[in-house]
């Protein structure tokens, strides 16, 4: 029996000649839709594609094998209906070499077919996670031992700053963590060199232009926006027939006192015209804008919370105890968060940040230089044994495809031009950056002729009771600053069965 696709699923199947972003919920039939889309692309139209011209990337080898099997079965089914179709017979042969694979396997494929482009021995072996962790730890131990023997003053100052005691495991961990974070970037060395400047400031005003501080204040600003929404939610509960309406007056005053400035200049202008996460603006604010956000946050230090009135049964006989407790619990949680935030932001703490950055500037630069030197030592150790780890697969694959320049820009290499017709569907893996997807999620629009977003939000796997329970929990705990997405009606699970 043929699958009956929904209206949104059909839009995914029929979308052509433009970029599409498919945001698919659990149990929404995404694998079936992707398989059907691929089968239609290789079997329908005036010029159907060959299956080996597509790149389909999934998370696990098992998932890739399952998808390959489904596509092969669908091709066989169509061949039974049209046995004289030479193009479909060709697909039965090509599917065995089609790139339906994991990202690591595809990178390995790129390297073994283009090894001469980057002077790589094609007989390399990929280490598993345990082997790479042991090898990297051994290299780091011997590297730091040499540093202590050389006793360079800059190194000793760095070690004393980050590890004031006799135990240097903290320094080891910092180098290892910094290396790991850099490995998740397209250009690790370029990224690390940028980090050398993170704590370099000449005046207190300069701290407000630093990337890390803007990241922190914008993240806090998103938390405040979320608390503002929670106050609006609490007021909605108060306005329900069995809601604690006696709380509404105090909550309204508190909301205006705490969050009213979010809707005023100059903070309002930062949010205007920007639909996505505020964190995407980190590093782009000028000092005046960042200082305005800082002042708004530090102004919460004077915030006060009144006492919720008693809601006696005589005056409020219909108030739901669960709704009353829900409001009280949310408000109490917000009070705790506000107190935590107030301890971090003030005029005096800005002075402290400035002096701390000045003191940390030299040690941080040395820490970055140590990480760069360690990365080079580890790379040499792997090359001597012709070994690669998983990040190497991705970085070398990028070198095959792109020519990187000193200013951080890049241009396509011949291999990239050869593979440029490839379409990708990439799931999150390891140190992937969810904000990349969220940026697309925020900028792609339904029915957009150039960049279309299609939300597959119907769940065909679970009963209504399960979905209602999941939605109820997620609506309370999933916020943009926590899970990267605001769990609202746009992304909630809808019954499809």
């Amino acid at each position: 029996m043929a699958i009956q696709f929904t209206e949104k699923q059909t839009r995914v199947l029929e979308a052509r000649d433009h970029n599409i972003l498919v945001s698919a919920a659990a149990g929404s039939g995404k694998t079936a839709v992707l398989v059907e889309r691929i089968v239609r692309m290789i079997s329908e139209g005036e010029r159907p594609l060959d299956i080996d011209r597509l790149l389909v990337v999934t998370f696990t080898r098992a998932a890739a094998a399952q998808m390959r099997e489904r596509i092969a079965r669908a091709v066989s089914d169509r061949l039974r209906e049209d046995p004289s179709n030479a193009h479909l017979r060709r697909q039965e042969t090509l599917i065995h070499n089609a790139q339906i694979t994991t990202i690591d396997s595809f990178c390995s494929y790129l390297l073994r077919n283009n090894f001469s482009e980057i002077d790589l021995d094609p007989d390399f072996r990929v280490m598993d996670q345990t082997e790479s962790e042991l090898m990297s730890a051994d290299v780091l131990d011997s590297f730091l031992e040499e540093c202590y023997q050389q006793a360079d003053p800059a190194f000793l100052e760095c070690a004393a700053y980050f590890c004031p005691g006799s135990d240097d495991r903290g320094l080891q961990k910092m180098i290892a963590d910094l290396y790991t974070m850099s490995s998740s970037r397209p250009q690790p060395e370029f990224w690390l060199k940028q980090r050398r400047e993170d704590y370099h400031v000449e005046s207190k005003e300069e701290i407000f232009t630093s990337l890390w501080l803007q990241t922190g204040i914008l993240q806090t600003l998103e938390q405040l926006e979320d608390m503002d929404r929670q106050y609006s939610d609490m007021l909605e509960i108060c306005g329900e027939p069995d809601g604690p309406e006696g709380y509404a007056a105090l909550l309204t005053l508190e909301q205006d006192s705490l969050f009213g400035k979010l809707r005023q200049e100059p903070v309002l202008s930062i949010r205007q015209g920007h639909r996505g996460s505020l964190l995407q603006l980190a590093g782009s604010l000028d000092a005046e804008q960042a200082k305005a956000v800082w002042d708004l946050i530090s102004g919460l230090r004077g915030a006060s919370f009144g006492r919720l009135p008693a809601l006696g049964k005589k005056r409020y006989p219909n108030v739901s105890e669960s709704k009353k407790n829900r409001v009280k619990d949310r408000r109490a949680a917000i009070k705790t968060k506000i107190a935590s935030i107030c301890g971090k932001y003030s005029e005096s703490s800005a002075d402290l940040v400035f002096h701390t950055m000045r003191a940390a500037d030299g040690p941080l630069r040395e820490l970055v230089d140590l990480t760069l030197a360690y990365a080079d030592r580890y790379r040499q150790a792997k090359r001597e044994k012709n070994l690669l780890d998983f990040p190497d697969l991705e970085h070398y694959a990028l070198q095959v495809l792109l020519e990187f320049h000193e200013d951080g820009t890049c241009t396509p290499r011949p291999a990239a031009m050869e593979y440029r017709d490839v379409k990708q569907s990439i799931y999150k893996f390891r140190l992937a950056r969810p904000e990349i997807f969220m940026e697309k999620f925020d900028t792609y629009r339904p029915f957009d002729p150039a960049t279309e977003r299609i939300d597959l939000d119907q769940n065909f796997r679970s009963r209504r009771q399960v979905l209602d329970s999941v939605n109820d929990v997620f609506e309370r705990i999933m916020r943009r600053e926590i899970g990267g997405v605001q769990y609202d009606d746009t992304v909630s699970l809808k019954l499809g069965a």
Side-chain angles (χ1 to χ4, degrees), residues 94-111:
L94 292 177
I95 196 169
H96 301 292
N97 294 319
Q99 289 300 308
I100 305 170
T101 180
T102 64
I103 187 65
D104 292 326
S105 295
F106 177 67
C107 289
S108 181
Y109 167 82
L110 272 180
L111 296 182

Side-chain angles (χ1 to χ4, degrees), residues 24 59 111 120 146 159 233 255 314 332 344 355 357 414 468:
F59 183 58
L111 296 182
L120 180 70
E146 289 181 19
D233 292 344
Q255 183 180 27
K314 188 172 183 179
K344 300 176 183 177
H355 292 297
M357 289 178 68
D468 289 346

Side-chain angles (χ1 to χ4, degrees), residues 217-230:
I217 62 175
L218 289 173
Q219 185 175 41
T220 302
L221 188 59
E222 283 200 333
Q223 291 176 340
L224 296 180
E225 288 184 343
D226 177 65
M227 295 180 209
D228 187 22
R229 286 190 292 268
Q230 290 193 56

Side-chain angles (χ1 to χ4, degrees), residues 57-100:
V57 180
T58 188
F59 183 58
T60 65
R61 293 180 181 179
Q66 181 190 53
M67 186 167 291
R68 186 187 301 272
E69 180 184 349
R70 289 192 183 189
I71 295 172
R73 189 185 311 130
V75 170
S76 296
D77 290 343
R78 297 207 174 197
L79 260 177
R80 279 195 292 271
E81 298 173 2
D82 186 9
S84 63
N85 191 316
H87 178 78
L88 285 177
R89 287 201 303 272
R90 174 178 166 83
Q91 305 317 302
E92 273 198 317
T93 302
L94 292 177
I95 196 169
H96 301 292
N97 294 319
Q99 289 300 308
I100 305 170

Side-chain angles (χ1 to χ4, degrees), residues 111-129:
L111 296 182
R112 296 192 189 281
N113 285 274
N114 300 274
F115 60 89
S116 61
E117 297 287 328
I118 56 172
D119 192 26
L120 180 70
D121 187 337
D123 196 31
F124 64 82
R125 179 174 66 84
V126 180
M127 296 183 287
D128 61 30
Q129 191 71 21

Side-chain angles (χ1 to χ4, degrees), residues 7 74 78 99 112 122 131 156 160 176 210 247 266 280 312 348 355 392 399 405 417-419 443 460 478 486 494:
E7 181 269 332
R78 297 207 174 197
Q99 289 300 308
R112 296 192 189 281
E131 185 180 5
L156 295 178
S210 64
Y247 292 164
Q280 296 168 3
S348 60
H355 292 297
D392 288 333
Q399 290 180 30
H405 309 298
M417 306 307 290
E418 179 182 346
Y419 289 106
T443 55
F460 299 94
M478 287 186 68
Q486 186 70 27
K494 282 84 172 177

